[in-house]
Amino acid sequence: GSGTFSVSLLVDVPTVQNLITISDTSRFVFAMGCNDYGSVVQDPMLIRWSDQENPYVWTPDATNQAGSIRLSHGTEIVAAVQTRQEIVVFTDATVYSLQYLGPPIVWSSQILGDNISIAGQNAAVIASGVVYWMGVDKFYVYSGKVDTIPCALRRDIFDNINTSQGAQVYGGQNEGF
């Protein structure tokens, strides 16, 4: 009936991934830290995206905009947040910008900062178009370039936090401040 589809039509859809996100403005589905085409082995640095406005098409072809890119710095993709102009992707060592270029390249990556960490998958937040996040030893901000945020409590925070619990770190915003 209407609204149903055959699972057999879902060819090359990532079957394992660390993170799924959607680009609001250009309408692509992203699988990050996923398996490659024709493989079931997870690649923690691989990003794949579906065809534009079509989450059922993942095989790159001249007739669609599906594709993939493998990030080179780090050992795994940890987090991603979407801003108005880009998707900011955090590996365990580097911050990248993914920008939509359109066919034939579709999406490109650019390193925003190297030797930069993020505490966990939910440790970043966007406020007024600026990205803020907690690393494993300091706080960061990205508003066109990556900087550290001075923090009088930094030593106290990072000397007393259980760094193995990064998955429990959540970034949020308080509009009053």
Side-chain angles (χ1 to χ4, degrees):
S2 96
T4 63
F5 61 93
S6 171
V7 174
S8 65
L9 297 177
L10 298 178
V11 178
D12 272 337
V13 173
T15 56
V16 291
Q17 70 282 322
N18 285 336
L19 179 63
I20 296 276
T21 192
I22 298 171
S23 65
D24 291 343
T25 54
S26 51
R27 298 172 307 278
F28 287 84
V29 177
F30 288 87
M32 300 190 183
C34 61
N35 58 301
D36 207 348
Y37 307 98
S39 172
V40 295
V41 178
Q42 187 172 20
D43 179 342
M45 293 293 284
L46 181 66
I47 298 173
R48 291 177 52 196
W49 57 86
S50 69
D51 186 18
Q52 189 171 35
E53 297 185 358
N54 191 344
Y56 302 114
V57 174
W58 289 80
T59 307
D61 187 275
T63 63
N64 69 46
Q65 292 189 65
S68 67
I69 192 165
R70 190 174 196 284
L71 303 181
S72 57
H73 293 184
T75 60
E76 69 175 334
I77 296 167
V78 177
V81 293
Q82 181 177 239
T83 70
R84 284 187 287 265
Q85 313 84 352
E86 62 199 330
I87 296 174
V88 179
V89 179
F90 302 85
T91 72
D92 54 356
T94 304
V95 180
Y96 284 87
S97 168
L98 284 184
Q99 294 189 332
Y100 178 67
L101 300 179
I105 295 169
V106 190
W107 288 89
S108 75
S109 69
Q110 175 183 345
I111 293 175
L112 299 175
D114 219 345
N115 298 317
I116 294 173
S117 62
I118 186 164
Q121 186 174 9
N122 300 300
V125 65
I126 298 176
S128 302
V130 177
V131 182
Y132 300 89
W133 70 97
M134 180 178 176
V136 296
D137 60 351
K138 59 186 82 156
F139 295 96
Y140 297 92
V141 60
Y142 169 64
S143 59
K145 71 182 189 94
V146 175
D147 284 309
T148 58
I149 301 173
C151 176
L153 298 173
R154 179 179 161 227
R155 171 169 262 124
D156 191 47
I157 293 167
F158 291 103
D159 283 351
N160 293 299
I161 195 166
N162 182 346
T163 55
S164 69
Q165 297 295 315
Q168 295 186 51
V169 173
Y170 278 77
Q173 65 174 315
N174 181 340
E175 290 186 21
F177 299 93

